[in-house]
Amino acid sequence: MAHGPIARMQHFSVEVSNTDRSIEFYRDILGFKLTERHAAHEVAAIPVELTFLRLGTAHHELVLVHNPDKTYRPRPTRPEDDLDGPPSFHHFALECDSREDWEKVLHKVTARNVPIVRGPVVHSFVDPRGDGSWGENEAFYILDPDGHRVEIFWALATIDPDGVHRNVKGERLQGTKTEEL
Ligand SMILES: [Fe+2]
């Protein structure tokens, strides 16, 4: 349940240098469905190509934006290597409901030679397999055709209204009570 008038975070939009290539990636490898694709200037106020993709029933959860007038430069492989320029997008994350599903995506991206730039890794400071970081989830990070970093994860911790953190099994994580700031 949301804490205020904004109910949830919903879609993400990335700028792409080649819409066909990115549709193929997000549809054929990650399983998005194509909702609509529109040319630049189709609507007078919109000078960019817009492509809407979805995983569930919402009209879109991912929007690909392509500006035909722009000369695109490649992104650095890792956000950490981007040492000059304005503050930029770092990564976005896609959630699986089970480890089995998460492994299916891992196998798919491996079979398609999609670059995995980090992981698989357990984000945990209590799990013996953990990397010492936060959120109690298992993740790996890939690059889309333009080098946008996409995290694929499952088992993100939840936080009770009183601030107690729980893992995916509902077990209370010791020493993790979030203080109100
Ligand atoms: Fe993340």
Side-chain angles (χ1 to χ4, degrees):
M1 192 187 299
H3 305 284
I6 295 177
R8 65 191 61 83
M9 189 168 169
Q10 194 271 324
H11 69 269
F12 198 85
S13 179
V14 289
E15 196 169 13
V16 301
S17 61
N18 180 319
T19 299
D20 287 332
R21 187 177 62 166
S22 291
I23 289 174
E24 189 182 318
F25 176 84
Y26 285 104
R27 184 177 58 192
D28 300 347
I29 299 178
L30 297 185
F32 281 80
K33 288 182 175 165
L34 178 62
T35 302
E36 295 182 48
R37 177 178 180 172
H38 294 284
H41 303 288
E42 199 175 307
V43 170
I46 304 178
V48 291
E49 184 177 6
L50 290 182
T51 302
F52 300 93
L53 298 124
R54 69 192 190 282
L55 290 165
T57 55
H59 177 272
H60 56 272
E61 289 164 287
L62 178 67
V63 184
L64 308 179
V65 180
H66 175 75
N67 186 341
D69 296 325
K70 181 167 176 176
T71 302
Y72 288 99
R73 284 198 307 269
R75 293 176 67 85
T77 300
R78 303 185 312 153
E80 294 85 344
D81 295 333
D82 193 5
L83 297 177
D84 182 27
S88 183
F89 153 84
H90 190 280
H91 71 277
F92 68 97
L94 302 173
E95 182 170 16
C96 299
D97 281 338
S98 67
R99 193 170 203 282
E100 187 184 1
D101 286 344
W102 179 80
E103 285 178 347
K104 279 183 193 165
V105 184
L106 181 58
H107 291 146
K108 187 83 174 269
V109 303
T110 303
R112 298 285 291 257
N113 296 315
V114 174
I116 296 175
V117 289
R118 186 173 178 217
V121 58
V122 176
H123 293 305
S124 175
F125 56 85
V126 284
D127 190 313
R129 303 167 303 154
D131 67 346
S133 74
W134 312 275
E136 290 302 304
N137 61 96
E138 197 165 11
F140 61 91
Y141 300 77
I142 60 176
L143 299 180
D144 85 353
D146 285 300
H148 299 117
R149 184 188 283 217
V150 185
E151 177 180 0
I152 314 288
F153 76 96
W154 82 288
L156 188 64
T158 58
I159 304 177
D160 294 350
D162 65 358
V164 169
H165 294 215
R166 296 185 186 279
N167 67 16
V168 71
K169 296 177 200 159
E171 296 164 342
R172 179 177 182 150
L173 300 171
Q174 297 301 317
T176 55
K177 186 164 171 150
T178 298
E179 302 298 333
E180 287 295 330
L181 298 175

